[in-house]
Amino acid sequence: MFESISELPISIQKLINKAHEARKNAYAPYSFFNVGAALQLETGEIITGNNQENAAYPSGLCAERVAIFHAGSQFPNMVVTAMALTAGSIKKPNETPIPPCGACRQVLAEYEVKQEQDIEIYFMGENGKVVKSNSVKDLLPLIFDSSYL
Ligand code: THU
């Protein structure tokens, strides 16, 4: 756990700032809970996403999946080295680090297995403390993947 982003390398601070920027464009008129995600690709590219809700609630998608599916569609041979996440409700301030949901962990795990390289995950509230996980598999042990199919 890091007390503030200033303790992190500049490249990760930049990634977190991209996630904050992306969060501003979240479309969350139902939950009022805005999430921003930024992915660092090995090539230097940064891909962002935010949650996109829908009146038919389950049709919406989390920020993490918007970002990683976008990255996968644009850069099919991509290697993702890190992901930064920032989240918070417009109804109440939240500086507690907010971790990715289970469905997003499952989707991120697929790409981590595929690329045979760990993805660092940094997650936080709107500001304040940051939690780092060294990989998706640390957030989702005993993952279900294509080796079982
Ligand atoms: N949400 C995300 O974008 N990522 C997560 O990991 C958890 C939840 C979104 C989905 C929904 O738009 C809102 O936050 C409330 O659940």
Side-chain angles (χ1 to χ4, degrees):
M1 170 98 85
F2 299 88
E3 288 304 313
S4 100
I5 72 165
S6 61
E7 296 173 23
L8 292 160
I10 296 293
S11 60
I12 299 301
Q13 292 186 30
K14 188 177 159 200
L15 195 64
I16 288 172
N17 287 333
K18 291 281 184 190
H20 284 312
E21 271 174 39
R23 183 172 171 271
K24 292 181 192 154
N25 292 334
Y27 175 64
Y30 306 105
S31 71
F32 305 108
F33 188 79
N34 297 329
V35 186
L39 289 169
Q40 180 70 64
L41 305 192
E42 200 175 44
T43 52
E45 218 89 37
I46 291 178
I47 305 295
T48 62
N50 40 48
N51 52 327
Q52 296 294 317
E53 297 186 349
N54 190 276
Y57 294 173
S59 306
L61 202 60
C62 292
E64 297 90 324
R65 279 176 283 167
V66 168
I68 197 122
F69 288 149
H70 179 222
S73 71
Q74 298 300 301
F75 305 97
N77 301 315
M78 67 180 179
V79 172
V80 181
T81 57
M83 180 172 214
L85 300 170
T86 176
S89 170
I90 62 165
K91 291 193 277 191
K92 62 178 176 98
N94 194 329
E95 296 196 355
T96 308
I98 300 172
C101 79
C104 288
R105 294 181 203 203
Q106 175 66 30
V107 167
L108 294 170
E110 176 101 11
Y111 290 92
E112 188 172 83
V113 169
K114 179 171 174 263
Q115 70 180 27
E116 299 177 339
Q117 189 177 311
D118 289 351
I119 303 173
E120 292 179 352
I121 314 283
Y122 296 85
F123 57 88
M124 56 188 301
E126 291 157 67
N127 45 48
K129 294 179 181 170
V130 182
V131 172
K132 176 187 178 186
S133 172
N134 290 325
S135 66
V136 183
K137 63 179 175 296
D138 284 355
L139 291 176
L140 188 66
L142 304 174
I143 64 168
F144 176 82
D145 67 22
S146 62
S147 65
Y148 297 113
L149 301 178

